[in-house]
Amino acid sequence: MMTATLNLTPDAQECFDRYLNRVRYSLSGTSVDADEIESDVLEHIESVLGNEGEIARQRLEGVLQELGSPESWVPDEQRPAWRRLVGQLRAGPEDWRMAYLTLALTTLGVVLIPVVGPLGLFLAYLTARATRSLAAEHGDELGARKWLVDPILIAAAVMVIASIMLGPPAGVCVGILESGVIADQTGIPPLAHDSTAADVISHIAMYVLAIGAWWLLLTPIAAWGIKPLRWLTVPVCDRLERRHVVWLAGFGLLLVIVAVVTLQIV
Amino acid sequence: MKIAYWPAPMHNLLLCIDRYLVTHYIDPMTDAFSLNWTTQLRKGILELGILNAVGSRPMYGYQIGQILRGVDGLVVAEGTIYPLLNRLKREALVTTTIEESPDGPPRKVYQLTDLGRTRLEWMNDHWRRLKSGIDSLRKETT
């Protein structure tokens, strides 16, 4: 939110926006009019800092500290039941309960894989995402909590990345090569017990070729959908940028060249 | 705590455990109790404080916060008053008008309604009776 009369530094503006997000979040689901409170908060800050020049983050933080944590403004009994539950789980001196819940669900999911594993892991994934989102909304760093929250997220991200990068070419290769559909055209028969070393190498080269070609094809799609990709693969690809996607094209091209050369030699 | 029928080393060990439990569990419980008690007490009284402040003269949110801050222990976070003012407005105990300010943007000024004044008188009366009752109880115990 841009402030009409306050002259905030970019840093202070970011801090102020984050605070207003917390105000809005903490009042959502209650009977309090969040828009009005937001304008009250703005008026309050203008009353204190209105006559000052450019306001630095530290100065603004002092005023926000006096206003206090928006989460404490509304009594718990006025909040929706689900928010109270989340609040209770998060309550504690170090705000670690959501992280512990994530770890518990991850462990439960892994230990009880045949019974309720997938459900436990899915819930652990959701709790982990919620923990990260809440920390971000509150302007907190996850800190050491990432050791409890990130394992399930990293596992999920690795699965997503592997599925996207290797799934389609592997599926196509298995479908085409191992069924022998193009054995006559390529001269590469399906793998069998009596396959020669040259056949095995040709197979590997074909897989590498398919993967390389897929990565080349994937490059513009990944560059276009970089935000959804980041969102899907939190926290592994948090810092993914377009230049990294260009590397993907480079690696793809390299794989294609290596595969073609290998096929020529074999 | 005296456990005479235990051998001396065991007695000392139990005393150590007892001291540990008292230090680590009983004291934090007392702190949690006092924190919860003051929070609950403040919750009800803050509304009375706001109505009394607005009852003296129309004023804007920041001024109300400043006045209440002068009452020791009443306002921990100034932002708390805004959702409360919002509720008092919904219940038609206060109204707001926008007034131009000479040194800044227009401000929302709160003032008590007739209904608010009636409620305030009732609350002040109740508060007086409650306070005098507790005071007389304190005199009896001391």
Side-chain angles (χ1 to χ4, degrees):
Chain A
M1 180 178 174
M2 286 302 290
T3 51
T5 54
L6 291 175
N7 182 13
L8 302 172
T9 61
D11 208 20
Q13 183 69 51
E14 191 190 335
C15 171
F16 185 52
D17 288 342
R18 207 160 42 228
Y19 188 80
L20 287 182
N21 279 341
R22 282 174 62 194
V23 170
R24 206 156 263 289
Y25 179 77
S26 72
L27 297 177
S28 63
T30 69
S31 55
V32 178
D33 182 349
D35 285 334
E36 195 165 336
I37 301 303
E38 198 176 309
S39 71
D40 287 339
V41 168
L42 181 59
E43 190 186 301
H44 182 104
I45 292 168
E46 280 170 345
S47 300
V48 185
L49 303 173
N51 294 328
E52 297 185 17
E54 194 177 50
I55 296 150
R57 182 191 177 118
Q58 208 177 1
R59 176 78 181 104
L60 177 73
E61 277 177 343
V63 181
L64 297 181
Q65 207 166 2
E66 281 177 3
L67 276 169
S69 162
E71 290 75 22
S72 67
W73 291 356
V74 176
D76 262 353
E77 54 271 21
Q78 286 180 25
R79 296 181 200 282
W82 68 269
R83 183 69 66 74
R84 284 206 299 274
L85 179 69
V86 171
Q88 279 162 7
L89 286 171
R90 285 176 57 82
E94 289 166 342
D95 212 5
W96 276 61
R97 294 194 182 195
M98 281 284 277
Y100 280 125
L101 180 67
T102 304
L103 183 70
L105 285 168
T106 309
T107 312
L108 196 74
V110 171
V111 172
L112 299 176
I113 274 226
V115 195
V116 290
L119 179 66
L121 292 174
F122 178 66
L123 291 176
Y125 179 81
L126 292 183
T127 328
R129 293 299 296 254
T131 308
R132 288 183 76 92
S133 299
L134 281 171
E137 275 167 14
H138 294 161
D140 294 341
E141 289 288 326
L142 260 190
R145 276 178 293 175
K146 69 182 174 194
W147 291 100
L148 307 176
V149 170
D150 281 358
I152 183 70
L153 293 179
I154 291 171
V158 167
M159 277 200 292
V160 169
I161 293 168
S163 306
I164 293 173
M165 292 184 72
L166 302 176
V172 168
C173 275
V174 169
I176 293 175
L177 278 180
E178 307 309 333
S179 65
V181 178
I182 55 163
D184 292 339
Q185 290 93 324
T186 58
I188 305 170
L191 280 178
H193 290 296
D194 56 351
S195 292
T196 61
D199 287 341
V200 173
I201 293 170
S202 299
H203 265 84
I204 294 171
M206 284 301 281
Y207 275 90
V208 171
L209 179 66
I211 290 169
W214 171 243
W215 285 6
L216 282 171
L217 197 69
L218 205 59
T219 303
I221 304 169
W224 175 73
I226 204 149
K227 277 186 183 170
L229 201 60
R230 268 192 218 132
W231 186 86
L232 265 175
T233 54
V234 164
V236 176
C237 296
D238 278 354
R239 291 176 187 170
L240 186 73
E241 289 171 21
R242 288 219 160 77
R243 63 193 164 93
H244 299 131
V245 178
V246 175
W247 293 355
L248 181 71
F251 284 126
L253 189 65
L254 188 70
L255 289 183
V256 169
I257 292 168
V258 168
V260 169
V261 170
T262 308
L263 283 170
Q264 288 297 322
I265 294 168
V266 174
Chain B
M1 186 175 174
K2 189 181 177 188
I3 308 170
Y5 44 85
W6 289 102
M10 184 63 85
H11 186 188
N12 290 339
L13 177 68
L14 284 172
L15 277 178
C16 285
I17 293 172
D18 180 55
R19 201 166 298 141
Y20 176 85
L21 289 173
V22 167
T23 312
H24 289 83
Y25 292 94
I26 308 298
D27 283 353
M29 275 173 66
T30 313
D31 284 343
F33 165 77
S34 61
L35 184 69
N36 188 39
W37 188 77
T38 47
T39 306
Q40 294 298 327
L41 189 67
R42 201 188 300 129
K43 224 184 269 181
I45 295 176
L46 187 57
E47 191 175 326
L48 179 63
I50 289 176
L51 287 174
N52 270 308
V54 180
S56 63
R57 65 186 162 91
M59 56 179 76
Y60 57 92
Y62 176 66
Q63 283 178 313
I64 299 171
Q66 290 302 299
I67 286 178
L68 295 180
R69 223 182 161 77
V71 182
D72 192 25
L74 184 58
V75 179
V76 175
E78 282 181 36
T80 318
I81 66 167
Y82 293 112
L84 257 175
L85 281 166
N86 190 260
R87 184 166 63 76
L88 295 175
K89 190 179 155 189
R90 265 201 328 274
E91 292 174 1
L93 300 178
V94 297
T95 53
T96 57
T97 48
I98 302 293
E99 281 185 10
E100 291 298 325
S101 162
D103 52 346
R107 283 166 179 166
K108 193 194 293 176
V109 175
Y110 292 86
Q111 61 185 58
L112 216 54
T113 62
D114 290 341
L115 180 64
R117 201 161 293 282
T118 313
R119 176 78 63 88
L120 176 61
E121 279 164 17
W122 179 85
M123 284 171 80
N124 276 334
D125 184 50
H126 193 75
W127 169 251
R128 261 190 303 273
R129 281 188 283 132
L130 201 63
K131 187 178 175 305
S132 84
I134 295 292
D135 283 347
S136 64
L137 277 177
R138 283 178 59 209
K139 273 175 207 156
E140 280 172 26
T141 50
T142 52

